[in-house]
Amino acid sequence: METESTMTLTAPDASARIDAEQEAELQARFDALIEADQRIEPRDWMPDAYRKTLIRQISQHAHSEIIGMQPEGNWISRAPSLKRKAILMAKVQDEAGHGLYLYSAAQTLGISRDEMTEQLITSRARYSSIFNYPTPTWADMGAIGWLVDGAAICNQVPLCRASYGPYGRAMVRICKEESFHQRQGFEILLELSQGTPEQHAMAQESVDRWYWPALMMFGPPDDESPNSAQSMAWKIKRFSNDELRQRFVGMLVPQAEVLGLTLPDPNLRWNEERQAWDMSEIDWTEFNEVLAGRGPANAQRIQHRRDAHEEGAWVREAAAAYAEKQAARERVAA
Amino acid sequence: MSTPGDVAGEGWPLYEVFVRANRGLSHVHVGSLHAPDDDMALRNARDLYTRRNEGVSVWVVRSSAITTSDPDQKGAFFESPAGKNYRHAKYYEKSAEVPHL
């Protein structure tokens, strides 16, 4: 049977031994599977570049889920009611779960969990720069759910059909759970928006801060996104950055009306002729600053993750020691 | 061939997780996780894969205990049923118009 588990590391070695002719044949088989919209599974032959691209993308995605627990975890102890607190805890727990699904998917490509953790806490791996923004108000829990999780869903739904089987399957689970995240965020904003003038202002201020960073989550414009074409040819990515951004904005506009909140772009309007949304130019210098690690909370996020990893070491060691002791006892008994 | 799962550099062994969604259904593979021992694997599987009542029963098994077929041998290994379409009901066309058959 085919397991979802970590792929044997013998495959790359074995591929070094096969000659050019065999490789061409394997490449042809791989191309045919992609062409036929079939999935690639962990132990299939795949081009090195495909494997590398997936490891990078899936591990970044996993790191984003794990780091993404922090901006919201910040509000668990400050939630305005027991109900909101319970919901927020469930959501943060989901993010941990999503991180684990994705780490498992990445492991099937031959990278270990420890290696990925190491890359994250030594700042050699990236995660979505959206989580480097601070969450100073309760309304941010609403804006994150509505805008950040909303953008994530827009990105992730097409990934359920990604050509790499374990990635697609992980995304199916994640997408099912994300829709709760977006709705709970929308509800927080709606209640604030319909509350006191101060609450309404808090909701609007938060949307003003998160709107542009959320649009930047789709990545650079198509003509400046060099890797996109290859990812689309491999059917990892199904739609371009700009297509997804347009789709997202189209969903937000009527939702913002229901919320009674304004999207902070005076130039945002439907262009009948282009059949697309006109919008203001995105300020990519800010995006690049945050991406380069100079965002408001980059250092804090990584430090926190590193501390949690190091301070939790004794728990992992104790669990391993206990397991070893029990196994030794069983050997003696047998 | 060797089973996937035994990757150098992993602290804890890998487990495969199977969940029975409801009585009357088979346990279905849902994913994998790392755990120090069987008990922890089961608890982690519950927390990771059944947060929304997805199951009434969970199995965990060490990935290293699973023997798998070799995907490179796919053709040869699954060759036997090929060309034996008489094993399928639709091979028998003469009964097509006969009711309840």
Side-chain angles (χ1 to χ4, degrees):
Chain A
M1 77 176 269
E2 185 81 52
T3 71
E4 291 278 286
S5 46
T6 313
M7 181 176 152
T8 47
L9 287 178
T10 54
D13 301 339
S15 69
R17 267 184 269 117
I18 56 176
D19 59 36
E21 194 178 316
Q22 273 176 305
E23 180 151 335
E25 199 183 303
L26 290 166
Q27 177 78 49
R29 203 190 302 167
F30 172 87
D31 291 343
L33 283 172
I34 297 282
E35 179 62 31
D37 255 329
Q38 292 272 321
R39 302 301 173 88
I40 305 300
E41 294 294 345
R43 295 161 109 188
D44 291 336
W45 182 90
M46 60 188 91
D48 284 344
Y50 178 80
R51 185 186 300 277
K52 274 192 196 135
T53 297
L54 280 168
I55 289 178
R56 186 173 41 83
Q57 181 171 338
I58 301 173
S59 64
Q60 278 182 14
H61 197 158
H63 296 327
S64 302
E65 300 281 358
I66 296 299
I67 295 292
M69 296 162 76
Q70 291 185 35
E72 294 180 305
N74 179 42
W75 278 93
I76 289 178
S77 59
R78 302 172 173 91
S81 69
L82 187 57
K83 181 182 99 169
R84 292 289 174 202
K85 187 186 176 107
I87 291 172
L88 197 54
M89 283 199 291
K91 181 173 189 290
V92 172
Q93 194 190 7
D94 273 355
E95 309 295 3
H98 297 174
L100 294 179
Y101 304 153
L102 288 162
Y103 281 133
S104 292
Q107 283 176 276
T108 65
L109 293 156
I111 184 169
S112 75
R113 177 83 53 95
D114 290 347
E115 207 176 329
M116 287 185 276
T117 304
E118 193 61 25
Q119 287 176 352
L120 176 62
I121 63 180
T122 55
S123 296
R124 283 180 294 131
R126 283 191 171 151
Y127 55 89
S128 178
S129 55
I130 194 80
F131 301 116
N132 288 326
Y133 291 88
T135 48
T137 75
W138 169 249
D140 291 340
M141 297 304 98
I144 286 181
W146 181 46
L147 295 172
V148 175
D149 291 321
I153 292 171
C154 232
N155 254 329
Q156 288 169 353
V157 167
L159 287 174
C160 295
R161 293 190 293 124
S163 60
Y164 187 58
Y167 192 27
R169 290 191 286 274
M171 293 317 306
V172 169
R173 298 186 68 86
I174 291 173
C175 286
K176 272 189 204 162
E177 300 181 352
E178 286 285 355
S179 57
F180 136 62
H181 297 182
Q182 196 187 15
R183 285 188 182 197
Q184 66 87 36
F186 184 88
E187 199 187 281
I188 289 173
L189 286 179
L190 188 67
E191 285 195 19
L192 287 174
S193 178
Q194 295 176 348
T196 64
E198 289 82 2
Q199 287 173 329
H200 181 88
M202 184 196 271
Q204 184 62 57
E205 186 274 336
S206 181
V207 168
D208 290 348
R209 262 185 298 116
W210 289 97
Y211 177 75
W212 290 108
L215 291 194
M216 293 181 208
M217 285 174 68
F218 295 97
D222 293 345
D223 49 7
E224 292 165 37
S225 182
N227 300 324
S228 282
Q230 180 60 75
S231 281
M232 286 176 80
W234 278 329
K235 296 186 182 169
I236 297 171
K237 200 174 162 65
R238 299 278 182 163
F239 300 98
S240 78
N241 297 351
D242 287 329
E243 279 173 323
L244 291 169
R245 200 171 359 250
Q246 280 280 332
R247 187 182 300 177
F248 180 56
V249 168
M251 292 192 276
L252 290 185
V253 169
Q255 291 171 357
E257 275 174 35
V258 176
L259 286 173
L261 297 172
T262 317
L263 297 174
D265 181 0
N267 299 315
L268 180 62
R269 61 183 60 84
W270 178 249
N271 185 324
E272 193 59 41
E273 203 174 309
R274 285 200 312 131
Q275 286 294 301
W277 293 92
D278 288 337
M279 47 181 115
S280 303
E281 198 78 13
I282 293 179
D283 178 10
W284 292 103
T285 51
E286 181 194 290
F287 177 80
N288 291 329
E289 277 296 292
V290 178
L291 203 62
R294 292 186 287 271
N298 292 46
Q300 186 194 339
R301 299 284 186 247
I302 290 297
Q303 184 64 47
H304 190 79
R305 183 68 195 88
R306 193 186 303 134
D307 290 347
H309 186 69
E310 285 166 6
E311 286 164 19
W314 71 271
V315 179
R316 296 190 295 276
E317 285 158 15
Y322 178 79
E324 179 49 42
K325 197 169 91 180
Q326 295 301 312
R329 265 190 202 159
E330 269 171 37
R331 280 197 295 275
V332 170
Chain B
M1 71 176 287
S2 66
T3 38
D6 289 331
V7 170
E10 294 290 3
W12 288 345
L14 190 71
Y15 286 81
E16 300 298 327
V17 182
F18 300 81
V19 171
R20 183 203 292 285
N22 250 313
R23 291 179 170 279
L25 299 174
S26 301
H27 285 77
V28 174
H29 184 244
V30 292
S32 55
L33 53 79
H34 290 273
D37 59 32
D38 298 355
D39 286 346
M40 288 295 287
L42 200 55
R43 283 162 185 269
N44 291 352
R46 176 199 59 192
D47 292 345
L48 188 55
Y49 291 106
T50 63
R51 286 196 301 281
R52 289 177 175 78
N53 293 324
E54 287 96 336
V56 294
S57 167
V58 180
W59 288 347
V60 292
V61 59
R62 277 202 192 200
S63 307
S64 59
I66 296 176
T67 307
T68 72
S69 62
D70 181 348
D72 295 335
Q73 300 280 311
K74 198 176 166 196
F77 192 77
F78 296 105
E79 194 173 41
S80 173
K84 296 179 182 168
N85 49 354
Y86 48 82
R87 285 181 167 164
H88 296 275
K90 61 176 190 223
Y91 171 81
Y92 303 92
E93 290 169 355
K94 287 181 180 160
S95 51
E97 304 302 315
V98 183
H100 306 303
L101 198 73

